[in-house]
Amino acid sequence: MESSNRNLKNEINEKLNDQVLRGALGRFAEAYPIARAKAYENVDDVEALREQFRQLKIQTVNNIEAVADQFETAVTKRGGKVFRAKDGDALKQYLLDLCKKANVKRIVKSKSMASEEIHLNHALEEAGLHVKETDLGEWIISLAGHKPSHMVMPAIHLNKEQIAEYFSKELQQEIPTDIPFMVQAARKALRTEFLQADMGISGANFGIAENGAIGLVTNEGNARLVTTLPRVHVVIIGYEKLIPTIQDAAPILRMLPRNATGQRMTSYMTMTTGQVPVMIKQDGKWVEQPKELHVILLDNGRLKAAKDPKFKEIYNCVRCASCLNVCPVYTIVGGHVYGHIYAGGIGAILTAFLHSMGDFDKINELCIGCRKCVTICPGKMNIPGLIEELRAQNVRENGLPFGVKAVVENVLANRKVFHTLLRLASIGQKPFQSGKLIRHLPLFLAGMAKDRSLPAVADVPFRDRVHKVTRQIASPKKRVAFFSGCNIDFIFPETGESVYKVLQDLDMEVVFPEDQSCCGKPVLGMGDRETAKRIARKNIEAFEQTNADVYLAACPTCTETWHETYLELFEDDAEWKPRVEKLAHKFREFSQFIAEEYQKSGRLNKGAGGVKVTYHDSCHMKRGLNIYEEPRQLLDAAQGYDFVEMKDCDKCCGMAGAFGVKYTELSMPILKQKVQNIKDSGAEVIAVGCPACMMQIQGGLDKQLPNVKIKHVADILAENIKNK
């Protein structure tokens, strides 16, 4: 595992230094959201369309065997043959036998990720067959000897100069870097391949059970030639591509082009079914001959996923790759760092089922958990949630690495030990500390503080300050139990003081359960749910004793963990489930709760302007808790501030817990983008609602934009109270 991690790090660094790749991905990441939004302008209700597709997929996967049977019957009725391949080896053997029987020597292919998944081309070429990719992107990477770096645009990592070089070598002539000329040269070179081919192999965007038809959505037209000219047509289709009726193709055709390439529709929409006659040349004459159609239904782990109550959700994937197009990690390093064929978060999940859990284990941490993919996926797949589920499954079966396990069980799960170590860290950091930050570290740790400063552990944690900031409220409107979380308790205790000040200004009694500890999210992120339960039980017991009207956190990650994850952890526990529900249903996030209270008391009127302030939406806040408007309402009402929006306000800052430390080389480019957007906004203050984001952005600002200050929303509200 250590060796594979080093290999991954090497691959990441190589891609980070590939300026062609970085430039191409950067330009595409900028252009894609605009193009997609424009393509959806004429769709009245995008969410309704997504839900229609999701329901279609749910119903289909719940009856996948019956749908597959109907599809096979329809294909057979129309003269085709269906083979159900258990895995890649079975598929390759069937094809090799077919090629031998049909005297196939030359094969043309239209892009099929399933064939890439099982390394089909290599097996065919080893058998002495001439195989030619005919999709322009696939042909380019075959010339380059590369794997696809994207599901829809496999050659996105190359520029026109590189492609012209590959073309010149293949075509044995000087090819200029003129794109239309290169396209025409490719067409001319491939035309002979189509005419001479004995077999055409295509994938399918969907297969229709009621009539046995397959649908192909393309922009080049080569798929039509592959499926019609050769005398043998082979379709490779995964079970997840099956749909019951032709009407079910409508939501796919409406969303796939829009999500994949930002088009309302592609250049070619092809449906083909059954045997059709084909013209072949015999003894110098063209004669008509029935065309052979073979449809291979590929399992390779798909049926196992279909039977799993949680992982059957992967059938919702339409292979549009929109999740890659908005992924902060993918858009920096591309697809090759993921090792296998499928990239991004969805790639990690598919790799687990279609390849191996060992390969999943190598790449799953590259999912930053920002959930941008969830908001854009046509099938509403919870990609980060499924990755966490796979991690948990992996830990149940194999356990955590010894060193990690020791830390989790003996430190994070033991409040007294954990907090004692944090107090010791506040002393041990002194030689490297400058104010509230650590700007430089020695030796092998130096890289961690190269482009960002690190937060220093507070000399006096919030739990030791509570008694100084607690006021007695004569007739409290509500009793609030405050969950500080690790960051506010030990890194930003002043923000905890601000929370108290704001709540007490609203005539609320605030209590701080001393036995509270980490919410358990870091442990959950590793997949260790049993230890997370131990932590959760202690927190639940501590808060039950408060008898509060409201349980509140100023950290969206902690809020979501209490609000949703604790419920999931104890959903099958008869004793703890009702106890969790009682607390979780009253657990609130600070800015949303305060906005409601300010609304009641008439405090949400626009405040007098002043210092420009912008706001960063944390991933857990906006896409986890769906809290977006409330922090802006509070900032807009704050006296002495003038609120302005910044570009990509909801794009991840690159922290993501342990990710920001373990993968500093990836975290930093994401952070730099965020800092640049803050600079471009002209704001003098960046407001946040998440202490983890506060740590990350504060560190970047200190090194790159020191004149801009970062403040939690609670700190800004507390300033207004102080100035009264």
Side-chain angles (χ1 to χ4, degrees):
M1 180 62 189
E2 186 179 347
S3 174
S4 64
N5 190 52
R6 281 199 300 269
N7 291 337
L8 177 59
K9 290 271 189 175
N10 291 339
E11 185 77 23
I12 288 170
N13 287 323
E14 180 184 321
K15 299 308 178 187
L16 288 172
N17 291 320
D18 186 339
Q19 296 308 313
V20 171
L21 171 71
R22 296 290 301 279
L25 292 176
R27 289 188 294 273
F28 180 71
E30 285 282 324
Y32 172 76
I34 299 169
R36 180 183 179 275
K38 188 171 181 62
Y40 271 107
E41 282 178 348
N42 65 336
V43 178
D44 293 333
D45 192 336
V46 177
E47 290 308 305
L49 184 59
R50 292 175 73 205
E51 184 59 25
Q52 178 189 359
F53 175 70
R54 190 178 79 90
Q55 291 300 327
L56 158 66
K57 285 296 192 175
I58 289 172
Q59 294 167 16
T60 303
V61 73
N62 287 339
N63 299 281
I64 191 62
E65 295 283 8
V67 172
D69 289 343
Q70 185 183 5
F71 178 70
E72 180 175 351
T73 299
V75 172
T76 305
K77 182 179 178 181
R78 289 161 177 79
K81 296 178 181 179
V82 176
F83 174 69
R84 300 200 188 194
K86 179 182 178 181
D87 53 29
D89 289 341
L91 187 153
K92 286 181 274 194
Q93 190 58 56
Y94 179 86
L95 260 181
L96 291 172
D97 291 344
L98 174 61
C99 289
K100 187 176 181 179
K101 180 181 177 182
N103 195 29
V104 169
K105 304 295 183 185
R106 303 178 69 89
I107 299 172
V108 286
K109 290 179 71 231
S110 178
K111 188 172 69 176
S112 163
M113 287 302 290
S115 70
E116 295 279 4
E117 174 189 317
I118 61 172
H119 307 293
L120 177 61
N121 287 13
H122 180 69
L124 295 175
E125 288 167 352
E126 271 198 336
L129 296 164
H130 176 83
V131 183
K132 186 65 69 173
E133 294 287 354
T134 65
D135 284 282
L136 185 57
E138 289 284 339
W139 187 52
I140 290 168
I141 63 170
S142 70
L143 297 180
H146 295 174
K147 293 184 295 186
S149 61
H150 191 280
M151 281 191 264
V152 176
M153 296 165 284
I156 192 174
H157 59 289
L158 300 172
N159 65 12
K160 60 183 180 180
E161 286 77 20
Q162 291 169 316
I163 293 168
E165 186 178 335
Y166 293 130
F167 276 25
S168 298
K169 184 177 180 181
E170 173 70 11
L171 303 177
Q172 297 183 343
Q173 67 180 84
E174 190 65 31
I175 301 295
T177 58
D178 178 72
I179 293 175
F181 184 91
M182 286 193 283
V183 171
Q184 191 60 33
R187 285 176 175 163
K188 185 177 179 181
L190 292 171
R191 191 171 300 146
T192 303
E193 298 288 346
F194 289 121
L195 294 172
Q196 293 180 350
D198 306 302
M199 174 184 284
I201 299 176
S202 75
N205 292 107
F206 52 84
I208 303 171
E210 70 174 351
N211 60 11
I214 64 158
L216 291 164
V217 181
T218 65
N219 273 319
E220 297 169 32
N222 60 306
R224 289 188 177 178
L225 297 173
V226 166
T227 59
T228 55
L229 287 181
R231 55 187 169 84
V232 181
H233 176 206
V234 175
V235 179
I236 300 175
I237 180 171
Y239 280 82
E240 77 280 8
K241 299 289 186 69
L242 298 180
I243 55 176
T245 70
I246 194 168
Q247 287 85 359
D248 296 326
I252 297 175
L253 294 175
R254 294 185 72 192
M255 288 194 295
L256 178 56
R258 288 177 165 92
N259 267 59
T261 54
Q263 297 171 274
R264 291 186 180 182
M265 62 184 295
T266 53
S267 303
Y268 299 90
M269 171 58 240
T270 304
M271 287 197 191
T272 180
T273 182
Q275 280 187 320
V276 292
V278 63
M279 302 300 292
I280 65 168
K281 206 168 189 179
Q282 287 184 349
D283 301 325
K285 297 181 180 179
W286 290 97
V287 296
E288 187 175 281
Q289 177 179 306
K291 182 185 183 76
E292 285 190 51
L293 172 64
H294 297 259
V295 178
I296 305 178
L297 260 176
L298 178 61
D299 179 359
N300 206 35
R302 289 166 170 81
L303 291 179
K304 178 184 176 183
K307 296 179 176 71
D308 189 290
K310 292 186 177 179
F311 291 107
K312 64 183 178 181
E313 191 177 346
I314 68 172
Y315 275 65
N316 293 16
C317 178
V318 74
R319 302 295 194 273
C320 66
S322 58
C323 54
L324 304 184
N325 301 342
V326 298
C327 174
V329 175
Y330 176 87
T331 52
I332 288 175
V333 293
H336 290 154
V337 301
Y338 294 88
H340 193 46
I341 299 302
Y342 299 106
I346 183 62
I349 298 166
L350 293 175
T351 295
F353 278 90
L354 310 181
H355 200 56
S356 76
M357 277 297 291
D359 287 284
F360 163 82
D361 201 34
K362 296 172 188 174
I363 62 173
N364 76 87
E365 291 179 328
L366 294 184
C367 173
I368 204 167
C370 72
R371 307 182 210 191
K372 190 75 172 178
C373 54
V374 181
T375 66
I376 206 169
C377 172
K380 296 185 174 182
M381 282 186 67
N382 182 7
I383 292 172
L386 292 179
I387 287 176
E388 286 200 357
E389 186 66 33
L390 280 167
R391 287 173 185 161
Q393 190 178 100
N394 195 27
V395 170
R396 282 196 300 270
E397 293 174 2
N398 304 307
L400 289 169
F402 177 77
V404 176
K405 182 179 180 180
V407 172
V408 167
E409 294 184 353
N410 299 312
V411 178
L412 292 179
N414 188 319
R415 182 188 69 80
K416 291 183 178 179
V417 172
F418 182 37
H419 289 174
T420 298
L421 289 175
L422 286 172
R423 292 176 189 274
L424 290 172
S426 71
I427 300 171
Q429 72 191 0
K430 294 298 182 184
F432 315 108
Q433 187 176 347
S434 176
K436 295 180 180 180
L437 295 169
I438 297 171
R439 294 187 170 92
H440 305 284
L441 286 171
L443 303 175
F444 62 91
L445 297 174
M448 293 177 60
K450 179 185 175 185
D451 296 314
R452 68 175 169 200
S453 298
L454 302 176
V457 178
D459 291 338
V460 183
F462 178 67
R463 61 180 53 243
D464 292 350
R465 306 182 186 202
V466 169
H467 66 284
K468 293 182 179 180
V469 296
T470 301
R471 288 199 292 113
Q472 294 299 317
I473 308 296
S475 300
K477 294 179 180 177
K478 286 185 175 73
R479 180 177 170 85
V480 180
F482 179 50
F483 185 81
S484 65
C486 306
N487 288 329
I488 288 181
D489 199 351
F490 285 89
I491 305 295
F492 301 114
E494 294 84 1
T495 298
E497 294 178 3
S498 297
V499 169
Y500 262 59
K501 185 175 286 188
V502 172
L503 290 170
Q504 289 172 159
D505 185 61
L506 288 166
D507 293 326
M508 296 184 186
E509 178 188 7
V510 192
V511 295
F512 184 88
E514 289 286 337
D515 287 337
Q516 66 173 285
S517 186
C518 173
C519 67
K521 182 61 178 178
V523 180
L524 285 162
M526 297 175 197
D528 187 353
R529 292 188 174 173
E530 288 308 309
T531 303
K533 283 183 180 180
R534 286 171 52 197
I535 295 171
R537 289 190 190 101
K538 291 175 182 177
N539 281 326
I540 291 163
E541 288 171 342
F543 274 75
E544 282 177 330
Q545 297 172 19
T546 64
N547 194 30
D549 303 305
V550 176
Y551 306 96
L552 180 140
C555 170
T557 304
C558 294
T559 305
E560 188 182 27
T561 301
W562 272 90
H563 211 271
E564 297 178 12
T565 312
Y566 281 8
L567 287 171
E568 293 172 7
L569 284 174
F570 297 104
E571 62 183 346
D572 298 321
D573 191 315
E575 177 191 352
W576 284 88
K577 183 179 179 180
R579 296 171 68 175
V580 176
E581 288 177 338
K582 187 176 179 180
L583 296 178
H585 292 159
K586 293 196 291 182
F587 210 97
R588 303 297 305 278
E589 186 277 326
F590 173 82
S591 63
Q592 186 181 59
F593 177 71
I594 297 301
E596 290 175 6
E597 295 299 320
Y598 274 21
Q599 181 71 50
K600 293 175 188 176
S601 59
R603 298 194 193 186
L604 279 187
N605 299 321
K606 185 170 179 61
V611 174
K612 277 190 176 182
V613 60
T614 192
Y615 180 73
H616 161 71
D617 293 276
S618 86
C619 303
H620 283 275
M621 182 85 90
K622 184 177 182 183
R623 291 182 283 275
L625 298 174
N626 198 30
I627 297 174
Y628 173 81
E629 294 293 343
E630 293 89 335
R632 288 166 170 79
Q633 292 171 351
L634 293 172
L635 293 172
D636 209 36
Q639 298 296 324
Y641 287 95
D642 185 15
F643 177 67
V644 295
E645 286 284 7
M646 69 171 171
K647 180 184 176 183
D648 291 336
C649 53
D650 66 343
K651 191 170 184 178
C652 184
C653 67
M655 183 58 189
F659 176 91
V661 177
K662 188 170 183 179
Y663 292 97
T664 304
E665 63 272 40
L666 291 174
S667 180
M668 286 303 95
I670 298 171
L671 174 59
K672 285 181 179 178
Q673 291 176 358
K674 179 62 65 176
V675 172
Q676 184 61 49
N677 291 338
I678 294 169
K679 181 180 180 180
D680 293 343
S681 74
E684 300 167 69
V685 174
I686 169 73
V688 296
C690 172
C693 295
M694 197 169 175
M695 289 169 55
Q696 173 83 337
I697 297 173
Q698 174 184 261
L701 291 175
D702 184 61
K703 288 287 180 82
Q704 303 166 48
L705 206 60
N707 292 329
V708 175
K709 306 303 178 188
I710 187 164
K711 298 179 181 181
H712 194 285
V713 172
D715 297 322
I716 290 175
L717 299 181
E719 288 173 3
N720 280 197
I721 295 168
K722 181 176 63 177
N723 294 333
K724 284 185 177 181

